[in-house]
Amino acid sequence: MPIYKDEERGTWYCCFYYVDWQGLKKRKTKRGFTKQKDAKEYERAFLDKLQSNPQMTFAGLVELYIDDMKNRLRQSTMNNKKHMIDTKILPYFGKIKIGDIKPTTVRQWQNKLIGQDYSETYLKSINNQLCAILNYAVKYYGLRENPCHKAGSMGRKSADEMQFWTREEYLKFSNAIEDKPMAHLAYQILYWCGLRAGELLALTRADIDLTSKELSVNKSYQRIEKQDVITEPKTKKSIRIIAIPNFLCKEIETYMQTLFDKNPSTRLFTVTKYYLHHEMDRGCKISGVKRIRVHDLRHSHASLLIELGFSPLLIAERLGHENIETTLNTYSHLYPHKQTELANTLDTLI
């Protein structure tokens, strides 16, 4: 392994040749190492990655995983993944060779996280991310088996209890924020239409048809690295047309008339999710209604539709779920009381 001393800078560097995936011979130079052994370790790790060798470090595997996934996932999703990997996984596994990661290694890492103040659902997400990276190593980089499978999981897939507002609770909150037309209408649409926050913040004039009383969901808004970014919706099923009740149509029309910018492509709500969170805090404090997440307005809308007797299929279409199983699994706990109502209705037939 040719390692050289940069006499001028007082650091070490490596310079070597390798054959890339197209069979072309190339030269690689990496400078700035404070120690000779660090330069040697870099060259060894680079060649291990290139040869799909399970002796590569976990940190080297993560580089390959991130480079592959960034072209397949939304930027916001990728940012969330990278943050979780950088803060919860790499500090523990980074320097370990992937072939040396055993089920006991994973269990020790899990126990360390379980002892900290993380929610059960977040622990599940972290564990799933480690499992996904090691599955990637099994599929593409020669790892014999994923140690996560023997180690078992941690955390839970869903929280113990879903948070949502009743209609009465929402109306109290809504009345408390009427003094700010933008916030009031934003929450009206979230509650009465069941949109995701990103879908709401991406809405433009062109997405509202007041004649047919319909709202078109076809994009999502994200704030990424201090830039406004418009992306595709979460899934293909998220692209949908939502019928708007008459009272909400009138509120939207009144609001749009107050806007100075008449460009059809201009966002109706030129704010970020932080604004929605701030108004949630303010409205709950004034009204005395329990604090829920902004996303829980979507659950509140689904709960309202279930209470009104609408079918899971119709609710799935309105919410933009990928399939009806998602709707049933998410809101199954809201249906049991309907079984008694159904039985009582059957009784009336005899």
Side-chain angles (χ1 to χ4, degrees), residues 83-94:
H83 176 75
M84 183 183 293
I85 293 168
D86 290 344
T87 59
K88 306 301 185 299
I89 302 177
L90 271 178
Y92 193 92
F93 295 99

Side-chain angles (χ1 to χ4, degrees), residues 66-78:
I66 294 293
D67 192 54
D68 189 5
M69 291 295 109
K70 68 183 181 183
N71 297 315
R72 301 168 182 267
L73 300 174
R74 297 171 66 190
Q75 187 177 352
S76 58
T77 302
M78 202 66 241

Side-chain angles (χ1 to χ4, degrees), residues 72 74-77 196 198-199 202 217-222 229-236 238-239:
R72 301 168 182 267
R74 297 171 66 190
Q75 187 177 352
S76 58
T77 302
R196 300 177 178 92
E199 295 171 344
V217 177
N218 50 52
K219 53 190 172 295
S220 184
Y221 166 88
Q222 304 286 336
V229 179
I230 301 297
T231 65
E232 294 181 352
K234 185 176 181 180
T235 65
K236 290 184 179 180
S238 297
I239 300 175

Side-chain angles (χ1 to χ4, degrees), residues 34-269:
T34 56
K35 298 179 181 179
Q36 184 180 16
K37 70 174 184 177
D38 293 337
K40 289 181 178 179
E41 287 179 4
Y42 175 85
E43 180 180 354
R44 186 182 299 110
F46 182 90
L47 295 175
D48 283 343
K49 285 193 298 181
L50 201 66
Q51 296 167 10
S52 303
N53 192 329
Q55 292 304 303
M56 79 169 89
T57 64
F58 183 82
L61 173 65
V62 166
E63 287 182 21
L64 296 168
Y65 174 80
I66 294 293
D67 192 54
D68 189 5
M69 291 295 109
K70 68 183 181 183
N71 297 315
R72 301 168 182 267
L73 300 174
R74 297 171 66 190
Q75 187 177 352
S76 58
T77 302
M78 202 66 241
N79 287 349
N80 291 336
K81 275 182 173 288
K82 288 175 66 176
H83 176 75
M84 183 183 293
I85 293 168
D86 290 344
T87 59
K88 306 301 185 299
I89 302 177
L90 271 178
Y92 193 92
F93 295 99
K95 296 181 179 180
I96 305 176
K97 295 178 180 179
I98 61 173
D100 291 339
I101 299 176
K102 308 300 181 186
T104 53
T105 317
V106 176
R107 294 285 292 187
Q108 292 167 1
W109 167 75
Q110 290 175 339
N111 289 333
K112 185 176 181 180
L113 287 175
I114 290 171
Q116 301 182 39
D117 189 23
Y118 296 126
S119 70
E120 292 293 316
T121 52
Y122 189 52
L123 288 173
K124 182 72 172 179
S125 297
I126 299 171
N127 196 82
N128 287 348
Q129 183 58 73
L130 174 64
C131 189
I133 294 172
L134 293 175
N135 276 339
Y136 183 79
V138 170
K139 190 170 184 178
Y140 298 110
Y141 292 98
L143 187 64
R144 290 186 58 187
E145 61 180 2
N146 188 337
C148 289
H149 296 161
K150 288 185 178 179
S153 188
M154 65 175 174
R156 289 197 299 272
K157 184 177 181 180
S158 56
D160 291 334
E161 183 178 352
M162 180 180 296
Q163 294 289 307
F164 61 90
W165 279 337
T166 63
R167 185 172 64 91
E168 291 73 19
E169 287 175 317
Y170 170 70
L171 291 177
K172 285 183 181 179
F173 169 84
S174 178
N175 290 337
I177 61 171
E178 277 187 329
D179 58 322
K180 293 188 177 181
M182 177 186 290
H184 183 260
L185 180 62
Y187 273 99
Q188 284 284 80
I189 295 175
L190 287 173
Y191 181 79
W192 296 106
C193 297
L195 269 63
R196 300 177 178 92
E199 295 171 344
L200 168 83
L201 296 177
L203 287 177
T204 65
R205 285 179 177 272
D207 297 323
I208 309 293
D209 189 333
L210 294 174
T211 302
S212 60
K213 300 176 183 177
E214 291 177 336
L215 180 156
S216 177
V217 177
N218 50 52
K219 53 190 172 295
S220 184
Y221 166 88
Q222 304 286 336
R223 182 72 176 176
I224 301 175
E225 297 178 357
K226 299 182 180 181
Q227 297 291 325
D228 294 332
V229 179
I230 301 297
T231 65
E232 294 181 352
K234 185 176 181 180
T235 65
K236 290 184 179 180
K237 285 286 187 178
S238 297
I239 300 175
R240 61 200 188 277
I241 303 294
I242 296 177
I244 313 172
N246 288 334
F247 74 87
L248 188 54
C249 278
K250 293 177 181 177
E251 291 183 27
I252 293 174
E253 183 176 18
T254 300
Y255 173 76
M256 289 198 298
Q257 288 173 352
T258 66
L259 299 180
F260 177 77
D261 191 342
K262 306 298 182 182
N263 189 327
S265 62
T266 299
R267 289 168 51 218
L268 292 179
F269 304 102

